[in-house]
Amino acid sequence: MKINFQYKIAIVTVLLGTQFTVAQKKDENIGTEVVNVVKPYTATISDAFKVKETPSLEDDETSKKENIQYNIFSFPVASTFTPSKGKAAGVDKAAQEKIYNNYATLAAGNYGNINAELFVTQTLENNNYIGAMLRHLSSQGGIKDLVLDDKFSNSSLDLTYGSRSRTLSWNADLGYQRQMYNWYGLNPLFSENLVAADRDAFINGIDSKQTYQNISLGGRLQLGESVLKEATIKFNRFSDAFSSGENRLVIKPSLGLDIMDEKIKVDFVLDYINGKFDKDYNALTELKYGYTSFGVKPSFQINREDLSVNFGAGFFYSMATESGKNKFFIYPNITASYKVVGDLMVAYAGAEGALKQNSFQDFVQQNFFVSPTLGIAPTDQKFDIYVGLKGKLANTIGYNIRGSIMNEGAKPMFLRNQFSFSNANKNGYAFGNSFDVVYDDVKTVSFYGELKADFSKNVSFGVNGTFSSYTTDTQAEAWNLPSLQLGANLDFNITDKWYAGTSVFFVGERKDLKFVQGLTAVYPPTYGTETTTLDSYFDLNAHVGYKYSDRLTFFLKGNNLANQNYQRWINYPVQGVQGLIGANYKFDF
């Protein structure tokens, strides 16, 4: 029996509706059932399939790269924008101070003090130049309670002629110096026990004047692109008013070579000295001395980032031409530095030694009151071992601290000469008012510290100090060597026209010998010696200046402003408060 399609649809609809009605019928009593849970349910995540970020394509046509060509289609665009012209900001430019090649200084003060300087230089053709320096410093004396003359003078003239270029520089020098001093350090003990007439005769019979003269001739050569880097030569003829004479010739060539990153350097030295004194201190025999030393100091430098090391040694041969023995010396010459914290902290160390030639001229410049009866010999500086630290505490504050141990053989020290009425020497230096030079093996332990600060372009400050401890071999003391030395200075610009500054230095106690009168003999009296301690002292100095123009400056200087009546050497007091007023003038030809 064939059923129509529409009837089929109706029958299906009736059945679905009946089923839905039965399903929605609610049974109020669904019963009970016990469920036992054997294991808690644990959810798991099945492995996921990750699609590759860059799928692998095996289609040859798809994998081919297309060549893409870029073309820029440009066309003009009209613009009405017109930029305004820029204008530089105004800057206040300080006027550059003109530098003059020449100057003259003249000043005068109490005690009849005169200080004068004249420096002139002129540039010639072909980079040549010529220059001259004239200096004069003198005083008429006047120290209180002195019985001998204490005036002095120091004059010198130096001439130079040379040439400068990129590859070659040289100069020739000629100089003359004349110095006059008095052995005024007479012990009052020698005249206190004399009657007035005898005392006057005794004092008037002492000619305390001494005059030194020096003629120098030298030259210097510098080569920019050569194995011979530098060479110097200097000859001195030194003499005095007591027929003493000394000749000295020093030649120092220096070779340098750079191999890869290493620097190799070789220094040579030839030091010849020959001299004589007319009489020894007892006026008995003539004194002669002469030494010729040859030295070579090879070294090479290694630089590795923050580390710099210099390895070297010194080989010296000293030949005695008058008296003494010929000797050969070997010295260390090693230095190193390491930047611990850049330029803020640099550690350095070294071990160095040298053969130092002493001379009559050098001793005079250290102590003008030596007698012309000295023993001259070289000093064997066996080693100087030191370690230190230097750097910056801030951009404007620098420091340097150092400790060292030095061992010197035949180190010279100044010791006051003895006096005796029976002495055949009646020269002006033979009354216990001059100094001899004694030698001894001395070990020195020292500590040094320095601090410098530029607080601004107008204020600068510096302070330094050295503490030393000496151990002698045969001498009872380290004569006239201070254990403590301090120094400080402060300079500042008050305005563009005014400037000022001050400095102070302190010298600790020293040891020397003093005369004591014997208690047994009355006349003629007898004298002995005993060790004495010279008091420490400080010296305060200051200056102020006014720049009247870029050429002319006026200044006022004061020395020993604390008016310390100290003795640099035993029985040699210094001048009190000293004032000096003067002017400095700069000019060009």
Side-chain angles (χ1 to χ4, degrees), residues 396 398 448-456 458-465 485-493 500-506 539-543:
T396 59
Y448 171 80
E450 180 183 31
L451 185 68
K452 291 184 177 181
D454 294 327
F455 298 110
S456 68
N458 295 323
V459 182
S460 63
F461 172 77
V463 61
N464 64 80
Q485 298 182 78
L486 301 173
N489 67 279
L490 175 65
D491 295 289
F492 52 92
N493 295 323
T502 182
S503 64
V504 60
F505 61 87
F506 174 87
D539 199 318
L540 176 63
N541 309 306
H543 68 272

Side-chain angles (χ1 to χ4, degrees), residues 55 360 385 544:
F360 182 36
I385 301 176
V544 61

Side-chain angles (χ1 to χ4, degrees), residues 215-235:
I215 300 175
S216 63
L217 178 64
R220 183 179 182 181
L221 175 66
Q222 286 183 301
L223 299 175
E225 300 177 357
S226 174
V227 176
L228 178 62
K229 297 299 182 181
E230 183 180 15
T232 61
I233 181 173
K234 188 171 185 179
F235 171 79

Side-chain angles (χ1 to χ4, degrees), residues 65-126:
K65 293 183 179 180
E66 294 291 339
N67 293 327
I68 301 175
Q69 295 182 352
Y70 297 93
N71 294 321
I72 299 175
F73 177 69
S74 62
F75 58 91
V77 178
S79 176
T80 60
F81 172 73
T82 303
S84 61
K85 294 182 179 180
K87 184 178 179 181
V91 178
D92 295 333
K93 184 178 181 181
Q96 184 176 0
E97 183 177 358
K98 180 176 174 56
I99 299 177
Y100 295 91
N101 295 325
N102 316 292
Y103 74 87
T105 300
L106 180 62
N110 60 335
Y111 292 99
N113 295 344
I114 296 177
N115 186 10
E117 287 187 12
L118 175 64
F119 175 78
V120 294
T121 182
Q122 183 65 38
T123 302
L124 307 176
E125 297 179 354
N126 300 324

Side-chain angles (χ1 to χ4, degrees), residues 29-37:
N29 186 7
I30 62 175
T32 61
E33 186 175 353
V34 178
V35 179
N36 295 325
V37 179

Side-chain angles (χ1 to χ4, degrees), residues 522-536:
V522 179
Y523 189 85
T526 59
Y527 298 93
T529 59
E530 68 179 19
T531 301
T532 185
T533 300
L534 278 71
D535 293 335
S536 59

